[in-house]
Amino acid sequence: MVVEAVPVFNEYFLKEDDRQALFRLGLEKTKVVVAIQQKRCFFDNLFGLKEKKPKDVALVAFVPEKSKRNIRPAEESCFDRIVFYDDSENTLYGLTNYEDVRLPNLHRFVDELVTLVPKEKIALIHMEEASTPEVCRVREKHGLSGAYMSDVDRFSSKKQISEIAENAGIPVAKTVFLDFSTRPNKSQILKKIMAKIQTFPMFAKPNRMAGGQGTTNLENREALERWIDAHLKAEDSSTYLVQEFLTGREISVNLVLLQDGTWKALRVKYNYKDMSNHTAIFEGGPMMTIYRTFENAENGEFPGLEEFTNKVLTAFKPLHPHVMFYQAFQSFDNPRLYYLIELAYRPPHGDPSGHPTYYTCGIHQTTALFLCHMDPKYRPAHDPSWKPKIWSNIYYPFVKGRLISQNPFPQKPQIEGDLKGEWYVKPGEEVPEAKRMTNRIAKMVLESTNKQEQERDLTWIFENWKPDMELAAE
């Protein structure tokens, strides 16, 4: 085999050994899959990936330098190359729009990558929802295969979600979109909202954010007017939506989109006591999430879910391959009626449901994400060593006040299952109000032997345990 020379430039972003390694992979492999990561942690528990990874496909990780401390040998061995970068220039926090996220070194990396590896062999995978726009921009800049912003807009823009769903006959909440860059006056805004929604409470949130960030609960007209006044006074130029308050059981469904155009659902997640995510996060919780396989959910508490899923996928035409999810409300009055809330090409890394998803269905989401890009014949199937578990995640969101002590987590004989807990706040520390889903005082993981035991334990915890807090005065 004739080996060509590595391209030479005056200035390099990549280290020479990374350049040589990537150039070699471009020559020897039929495809080079690159996982783009902005979080300072590495991929963990990639069950089955090393055994199922095609030998003619390279897997490369592009991750922050500070993720080195999290790398374990088992996961490191799954990658043909790990490229570390300085993330100090990343712009992520305090934003109200994911389109404003900037990852400058991603651009520098891919600018060089396309000179080392043929473009037709490169597949970039975004590993977090926040980095999706930047990865899409880089793909489009270099003409690489995969999702562009026009594809992602159907998922990340709540305006487009509402319009596409309504046109396809998929039930959604009544929604009004407000573009503050047009400088509307207060009376115009009020008239537009009240004409369509009419009743309180309502929700207001940015058009392009997730995880509850920027969400405001508007209990009455006075709260709505205060919210409008604040954005007009700040001369905000962002786009927001105001929605009616839906009641029902909130669920989320994770799917793997395969290269042949088919899909495989992994699990269904819902909250104990039928509590919505917003209520659990912003009213003190706890958020108690329960996981079921898609098949068990369809044949049990969530009839008609496969039909609804097919309808959503037909309407939104997601680009394959990838991992995606959607959220919906199941009507209390009609269990076969679902209202679409949100959907996204949301990758699993950083998703707290990653481990419970594996223990629920035997398929690790990150492994599935990599393999669906690497292997055109990949079909998600449970790991041979998988042992099913009935798993619950329990979160206690921020509540304004002070943590007095880290009181003991529930244990036997108070509960029957196995429970492990973790604190995120120290005794004596002041706790602000929750602003997003990741604002947590404590987390518990409950493993049960059967559904009846799970129900009893969740009930006991819900009624008898909470963090030892001194709440701030109203």
Side-chain angles (χ1 to χ4, degrees):
M1 181 179 67
V2 177
V3 179
E4 301 175 16
V6 179
V8 177
F9 294 90
N10 292 329
E11 294 184 9
Y12 298 132
F13 165 73
L14 290 166
K15 297 176 181 177
E16 185 57 29
D17 57 343
D18 286 331
R19 289 175 56 79
Q20 294 286 346
L22 293 169
F23 182 68
R24 175 69 64 177
L25 292 175
L27 290 174
E28 297 177 352
K29 303 294 184 178
T30 60
K31 192 173 187 179
V32 178
V33 175
V34 185
I36 309 296
Q37 172 86 345
Q38 55 89 2
K39 289 188 177 180
R40 295 173 177 175
C41 54
F42 202 69
F43 315 102
D44 62 351
N45 297 320
L46 299 173
F47 300 111
L49 177 58
K50 190 173 182 179
E51 296 77 14
K52 296 177 182 179
K53 178 174 172 280
K55 290 181 171 52
D56 64 332
V57 178
L59 181 60
V60 175
F62 182 69
V63 296
E65 286 274 357
K66 293 186 178 180
S67 65
K68 284 182 178 178
R69 61 193 175 196
N70 306 117
I71 299 179
R72 300 183 303 189
E75 285 70 46
E76 184 177 14
S77 67
C78 294
F79 292 84
D80 296 271
R81 192 71 184 179
I82 302 174
V83 178
F84 298 99
Y85 72 96
D86 177 7
D87 66 350
S88 61
E89 294 182 70
N90 287 1
T91 303
L92 290 164
Y93 303 106
L95 303 176
T96 58
N97 190 330
Y98 280 153
E99 284 194 354
D100 295 331
V101 170
R102 293 293 181 266
L103 309 174
N105 278 336
L106 170 61
H107 288 263
R108 297 174 185 128
F109 167 63
V110 180
D111 286 349
E112 285 190 37
L113 179 66
V114 297
T115 70
L116 303 169
V117 178
K119 289 184 180 182
E120 64 272 15
K121 291 187 177 184
I122 299 173
L124 305 181
I125 305 178
H126 59 274
M127 298 306 300
E128 304 99 353
E129 191 170 11
S131 61
T132 303
E134 275 286 70
V135 177
C136 287
R137 281 189 280 265
V138 169
R139 287 194 193 105
E140 194 159 8
K141 173 183 177 181
H142 292 288
L144 302 177
S145 63
Y148 292 176
M149 277 308 299
S150 57
D151 301 300
V152 173
D153 273 347
R154 298 196 300 274
F155 289 69
S156 61
S157 167
K158 293 176 175 62
K159 186 175 191 297
Q160 287 206 43
I161 291 173
S162 180
E163 291 171 350
I164 293 170
E166 287 182 350
N167 290 336
I170 298 172
V172 289
K174 295 176 184 177
T175 305
V176 173
F177 292 90
L178 303 172
D179 182 359
F180 281 94
S181 68
T182 63
R183 300 292 178 255
N185 63 52
K186 182 176 178 179
S187 61
Q188 289 173 328
I189 296 172
L190 282 170
K191 184 177 180 180
K192 186 176 181 180
I193 292 171
M194 297 309 299
K196 185 161 187 180
I197 302 178
Q198 301 169 344
T199 59
F200 290 93
M202 302 175 186
F203 283 126
K205 49 191 171 183
N207 186 37
R208 293 178 183 275
M209 287 300 278
Q213 298 181 66
T215 299
T216 303
N217 188 19
L218 307 172
E219 291 286 352
N220 49 45
R221 187 182 177 102
E222 291 73 22
L224 172 60
E225 292 194 27
R226 285 196 301 271
W227 180 82
I228 295 170
D229 288 338
H231 286 278
L232 290 175
K233 183 178 180 181
E235 296 185 351
D236 194 341
S237 295
S238 302
T239 302
Y240 292 82
L241 61 100
V242 177
Q243 284 185 325
E244 69 172 322
F245 182 87
L246 290 176
T247 59
R249 176 178 287 180
E250 187 170 356
I251 65 170
S252 71
V253 179
N254 276 35
L255 311 165
V256 183
L257 306 172
L258 303 171
Q259 290 193 34
D260 65 357
T262 61
W263 57 274
K264 167 71 175 177
L266 300 183
R267 59 92 179 131
V268 176
K269 180 179 76 171
Y270 62 97
N271 293 335
Y272 177 70
K273 291 286 187 185
D274 296 331
M275 189 178 292
S276 71
N277 288 345
H278 185 275
T279 300
I281 297 165
F282 300 110
E283 296 183 16
M287 176 183 282
M288 297 177 154
T289 55
I290 297 171
Y291 300 83
R292 299 286 184 256
T293 65
F294 187 83
E295 292 77 11
N296 285 344
E298 164 78 20
N299 296 324
E301 296 176 278
F302 301 99
L305 198 55
E306 183 172 2
E307 179 183 354
F308 181 75
T309 302
N310 272 317
K311 196 169 185 178
V312 169
L313 295 178
T314 299
F316 285 88
K317 299 177 176 58
L319 199 67
H320 295 234
H322 207 66
V323 168
M324 66 164 284
F325 96 114
Y326 72 81
Q327 283 179 291
F329 271 114
Q330 180 195 42
S331 169
F332 287 140
D333 299 324
N334 179 1
R336 300 184 71 90
L337 176 61
Y338 299 91
Y339 292 85
L340 182 66
I341 307 171
E342 184 179 347
L343 70 170
Y345 287 114
R346 182 173 294 174
H349 194 50
D351 179 355
S353 69
H355 285 170
T357 295
Y358 173 77
Y359 290 124
T360 299
C361 68
I363 301 167
H364 193 274
Q365 293 182 88
T366 307
T367 296
L369 174 60
F370 289 152
L371 288 175
C372 76
H373 280 272
M374 300 172 78
D375 184 357
K377 297 181 179 180
Y378 172 63
R379 291 291 179 274
H382 67 75
D383 188 74
S385 61
W386 166 63
K387 295 180 181 179
K389 295 181 180 180
I390 297 175
W391 190 289
S392 307
N393 278 350
I394 305 167
Y395 303 104
Y396 287 83
F398 280 3
V399 179
K400 191 173 183 179
R402 183 177 64 88
L403 185 68
I404 298 172
S405 68
Q406 293 180 344
N407 44 315
F409 292 114
Q411 295 296 332
K412 297 176 181 178
Q414 299 165 322
I415 59 173
E416 302 169 62
D418 294 321
L419 185 143
K420 295 179 181 178
E422 180 180 4
W423 289 97
Y424 300 103
V425 175
K426 297 177 182 178
E429 188 174 340
E430 296 292 331
V431 181
E433 293 179 343
K435 299 295 184 183
R436 61 188 69 186
M437 290 186 71
T438 53
N439 293 153
R440 298 166 185 158
I441 298 170
K443 169 190 174 182
M444 296 185 285
V445 173
L446 174 66
E447 185 181 332
S448 308
T449 56
N450 56 62
K451 294 178 182 178
Q452 292 75 25
E453 178 188 288
Q454 180 188 41
E455 175 74 19
R456 289 193 295 270
D457 284 350
L458 290 177
T459 300
W460 190 94
I461 295 168
F462 186 87
E463 294 177 351
N464 296 282
W465 195 95
K466 60 183 178 181
D468 185 16
M469 291 283 298
E470 178 184 355
L471 300 180
E474 292 290 338

